Amino acid sequence: MRKPAVPDYASFHTDELYQSLDTIREDLYPENYAALTAEIDKRSFKSRLELERCYKALNEHRFPDRRAALVEIYKQLPTPESAAAAVTKPSAKKTYNTWWRRLWALLIDYVCVFAVYAAVMLPLLLTGVMPQSVGDVVGAFSGIMFIAYFVWCHAAGGKTVGKHVVGVRVMDAGESCGITWRQSIVREIVPIVGYVIGSLLLIHLLVSPSASVQELRESGMMIGIWIMLLVWDIANILTPLFNKRRRALHDFIARTVVVRQRGPLRPLDEVRS
């Protein structure tokens, strides 16, 4: 009696191989059985659903060892949720590639705030309605308002006007939520201290007739404040270049990170509860 030819098992789908294994008899068709099991051993599973079909195709009494092996493989395969997350999750390089965007965002914010300040103050100063000394005090308080603008925008939604335009936002270092008011204030703590001290010194002009604007501008304390703010800004510009997540100095201090635009942020208190 002529033996049947061994099927081309390489052309079978994986679940078809397991269905064939459940029906073939090793004692009657040893060559077919050997070729079939050899092909099965070569295969790998692309998803849990595919493995489930193969598992159900095997008789639990005839193939307990193979079913047990499939169970172990099943545990190692990613769930549908984790597989989808792996596909949709942006690469770290793309997520944190924000250095140039942050510079452009800062420039846009400066332009916006300066435009508002100029529209209000310049007409008053040029017409002589407001004395220069009072203008300096108002200017210092304008600096405080500028910092308050950053604090409020970052705490409220993670982004200023500039960051919204360029598509970046500030998040908690864990990247699962926005930042708190405390984190937002800590990010700007050095400018806050600098502008508050500068404002108090300028207010001194209003209560001390002997002080002059020029003397105060040239005083060691004012120069020290400007140097402090300059060093702070330079440090925040340069530090992102030396870490993978492009975190600036104020990000490390406040435990925040700036990333590319994402969906709506959950409040930090909700995430931690």
Side-chain angles (χ1 to χ4, degrees):
M1 181 177 179
R2 186 177 179 183
K3 293 183 179 181
V6 176
D8 180 16
Y9 290 119
S11 63
F12 284 34
H13 290 294
T14 304
D15 54 340
E16 293 175 337
L17 292 175
Y18 279 86
Q19 292 171 5
S20 300
L21 181 64
D22 190 60
T23 58
I24 194 172
R25 290 184 56 178
E26 182 180 6
D27 56 336
L28 296 180
Y29 305 101
E31 294 182 1
N32 293 29
Y33 187 88
L36 178 57
T37 54
E39 183 62 33
I40 287 177
D41 293 337
K42 296 178 184 177
R43 298 297 178 92
S44 59
F45 296 96
K46 298 179 180 179
S47 67
R48 286 191 166 193
L49 181 62
E50 182 184 32
L51 188 147
E52 288 173 3
R53 292 197 300 264
C54 297
Y55 180 85
K56 293 176 181 178
L58 293 179
N59 185 287
E60 61 180 323
H61 300 293
R62 288 186 61 195
F63 304 101
D65 293 340
R66 282 194 175 272
R67 285 170 65 97
L70 290 179
V71 170
E72 294 302 318
I73 297 174
Y74 184 86
K75 295 177 181 179
Q76 299 174 11
L77 291 175
T79 62
E81 293 79 8
S82 62
V87 173
T88 59
K89 185 178 180 180
S91 66
K93 183 177 180 181
K94 184 176 181 180
T95 299
Y96 306 124
N97 186 17
T98 60
W99 193 78
W100 281 107
R101 289 172 180 249
R102 293 170 73 170
L103 287 183
W104 282 112
L106 186 62
L107 178 62
I108 293 171
D109 290 325
Y110 271 116
V111 169
C112 292
V113 174
F114 179 78
V116 174
Y117 174 78
V120 175
M121 294 297 299
L122 285 181
L124 298 177
L125 292 173
L126 294 176
T127 57
V129 175
M130 180 178 293
Q132 180 64 41
S133 60
V134 178
D136 285 336
V137 175
V138 175
F141 277 107
S142 298
I144 295 176
M145 296 304 297
F146 184 47
I147 302 303
Y149 158 77
F150 280 96
V151 171
W152 183 83
C153 289
H154 290 156
K159 51 190 175 180
T160 59
V161 173
K163 286 184 174 65
H164 180 78
V165 171
V166 302
V168 298
R169 77 181 346 154
V170 182
M171 299 182 69
D172 179 72
E175 298 185 42
S176 59
C177 55
I179 65 175
T180 63
W181 281 97
R182 177 180 176 278
Q183 286 176 297
S184 189
I185 292 172
V186 171
R187 286 183 100 250
E188 310 297 337
I189 191 63
V190 172
I192 289 174
V193 172
Y195 278 110
V196 167
I197 295 176
S199 299
L200 293 176
L201 289 174
L202 288 171
I203 290 175
H204 180 63
L205 290 171
L206 300 178
V207 298
S208 178
S210 61
S212 66
V213 175
Q214 189 64 27
E215 289 176 355
L216 190 58
R217 286 174 176 172
E218 295 176 357
S219 69
M221 183 169 289
M222 287 299 293
I223 294 175
I225 291 174
W226 288 116
I227 292 176
M228 177 185 69
L229 295 176
L230 179 62
V231 171
W232 175 256
D233 288 338
I234 293 175
N236 281 305
I237 291 173
L238 295 181
T239 48
L241 300 175
F242 300 97
N243 62 89
K244 292 182 179 180
R245 297 174 73 192
R246 297 293 184 261
R247 297 173 74 190
L249 180 59
H250 56 200
D251 290 316
F252 285 106
I253 295 174
R255 297 183 180 181
T256 60
V257 63
V258 178
V259 299
R260 294 285 189 94
Q261 180 69 53
R262 294 182 181 176
L265 297 179
R266 298 164 60 192
L268 184 61
D269 294 338
E270 177 184 326
V271 175
R272 290 178 175 173
S273 61

